[in-house]
Amino acid sequence: MKEHATRLALIAKLADGQFHSGEALGEALGISRAAVSKHIKVLRSWGIDIFRLQGKGYSLPAKLELLDCDTILAQVKCPSLEVIPVIDSTNQYLLDRVGTMPKGASCLAEYQQAGRGRRGRQWLSPFGSNLYLSMYWRLDAGIAAAMGLSLVVGVAIAEALESLGAEGIKVKWPNDLYYQDRKLAGILVEMSGQAGEAAHLVIGMGLNIAMPEAEGEAIEQSWTNLTEACDSLPDRNMLAATLINRLHEALSEYEESGMNGFTPRWNRLDNFLDRPVKLLMGNRVVEGIARGINNQGALLLETEQGITPYLGGEISLRGC
């Protein structure tokens, strides 16, 4: 859309963190000062914190590092990468192209207009604050072989963040990353395929990097940013490249050997290991002590009856 192109050009002008007058921005973009003001209003609705100072113009609070496809491609082993600044959903974009992409094809966005999490929940996706990444993977062994895949992805992301200097990153069964008992990232695995045929998987991840407090007010659970876990935050292009590489490696390993190699890695990172928890399954609540996972990716819960494995996408885990 022409409007998006103008807005992205406006963001690129403001990304240096300096003040720019409405007149100068209008001249650079070939639009009126009034049009600049209208576009600024839309950008604010995208979650970009743009402020205006009388006599100086518009500015961002700090420099904004925009995702760059060429910069990322120089650091990754990726058969296909698209960086689409404004998109409805990175997962949906790849789902619509299943069957036409090579395994490992990835999509990144700056802003999702219809980002989604598990169970149809909205995933808040303000522009440039976080990282929204989806990857396509084909499992020739079929849908049944995808059991536990979200756990593998969680381990891969946590280990990638550790390699970049983040400390204290944990995983929460079955599909979240935590830091100090607060949600840092979410994983959404969507799949299609027929019995006896290959499974087509789209693995989506939303990682909070520097989510503005105002944008996070609508989130119904405690959350945090990667800035809290890193003394020195890696640049977003390096972060994206590292995540893509680690995901590709982990999925290849999973394809070869299943969950076996990932179970101890998960248990090392498990946020709720040996802690009292509640399992919520519809109207049913089971209380016990979390004892990690088994090689099928099931949560092991110890109660008075012993240790029982639990599987299923509708199970929620909450600290007591």
Side-chain angles (χ1 to χ4, degrees):
M1 293 175 62
K2 183 179 178 182
E3 291 87 354
H4 281 349
T6 300
R7 289 162 190 160
L8 293 171
L10 182 53
I11 292 169
K13 290 289 183 184
L14 293 169
D16 61 6
Q18 303 298 311
F19 279 99
H20 299 266
S21 70
E23 183 178 4
L25 290 170
E27 288 179 0
L29 301 177
I31 58 178
S32 67
R33 289 176 63 182
V36 168
S37 179
K38 289 180 180 179
H39 285 306
I40 292 287
K41 185 176 181 180
V42 173
L43 296 183
R44 286 173 174 152
S45 75
W46 288 3
I48 305 177
D49 185 11
I50 303 173
F51 61 95
R52 181 174 180 270
L53 192 61
Q54 190 71 30
K56 297 191 73 172
Y58 300 99
S59 177
L60 299 178
K63 288 184 178 180
L64 175 62
E65 184 201 0
L66 298 172
L67 295 173
D68 182 78
C69 191
D70 291 338
T71 300
I72 298 169
L73 279 173
Q75 305 175 67
V76 299
K77 302 171 184 176
C78 185
S80 174
L81 175 66
E82 291 187 78
V83 176
I84 303 173
V86 179
I87 200 170
D88 283 344
S89 158
T90 55
N91 259 33
Q92 191 60 52
Y93 182 82
L94 294 186
L95 285 169
D96 290 342
R97 289 156 179 80
V98 163
T100 67
M101 303 172 294
K103 184 163 66 175
S106 301
C107 176
L108 284 156
E110 296 280 14
Y111 172 62
Q112 293 185 118
Q113 295 173 308
R116 61 179 183 265
R118 290 178 75 230
R119 305 181 202 169
R121 296 191 184 104
Q122 178 190 14
W123 187 268
L124 288 177
S125 307
F127 190 103
S129 299
N130 304 321
L131 200 67
Y132 318 115
L133 165 66
S134 294
M135 179 180 287
Y136 165 72
W137 201 262
R138 173 190 167 105
L139 273 182
D140 290 327
I143 289 178
M147 186 74 71
L149 193 72
S150 66
L151 307 182
V152 170
V153 174
V155 168
I157 295 170
E159 291 178 345
L161 297 178
E162 284 183 332
S163 75
L164 294 171
E167 298 181 357
I169 304 298
K170 298 293 184 179
V171 287
K172 175 199 170 198
W173 188 90
N175 65 337
D176 290 334
L177 272 77
Y178 266 43
Y179 175 69
Q180 295 185 349
D181 280 345
R182 293 173 292 167
K183 186 169 180 175
L184 176 68
I187 298 160
L188 176 65
V189 179
E190 299 182 277
M191 65 184 76
S192 63
Q194 301 296 321
E197 298 181 358
H200 299 280
L201 310 170
V202 172
I203 300 143
M205 180 213 68
L207 170 66
N208 298 334
I209 299 176
M211 171 97 81
E213 287 289 336
E215 288 297 310
E217 287 179 357
I219 299 175
E220 296 178 351
Q221 60 182 296
S222 181
W223 60 275
T224 190
N225 281 314
L226 187 59
T227 51
E228 299 296 319
C230 288
D231 289 333
S232 178
L233 194 67
D235 70 63
R236 290 171 73 233
N237 287 297
M238 178 188 290
L239 177 59
T242 302
L243 290 171
I244 290 170
N245 282 332
R246 289 297 186 106
L247 279 175
H248 197 284
E249 292 169 5
L251 292 169
S252 297
E253 182 181 343
Y254 177 75
E255 206 168 23
E256 290 292 324
S257 57
M259 282 293 298
N260 292 343
F262 289 95
T263 302
R265 288 156 69 181
W266 171 278
N267 288 332
R268 177 183 74 85
L269 297 163
D270 190 344
N271 188 69
F272 288 91
L273 185 66
D274 298 330
R275 295 171 66 181
V277 297
K278 294 179 182 178
L279 268 178
L280 310 176
M281 298 170 286
N283 293 325
R284 185 184 174 203
V285 179
V286 181
E287 297 188 20
I289 305 296
R291 298 301 188 193
I293 62 169
N294 63 16
N295 284 341
Q296 287 71 50
L299 173 72
L300 300 176
L301 190 65
E302 183 177 359
T303 65
E304 293 178 355
Q305 286 73 44
I307 296 179
T308 304
Y310 289 89
L311 278 169
E314 296 306 311
I315 297 177
S316 277
L317 185 62
R318 294 286 187 269
C320 289

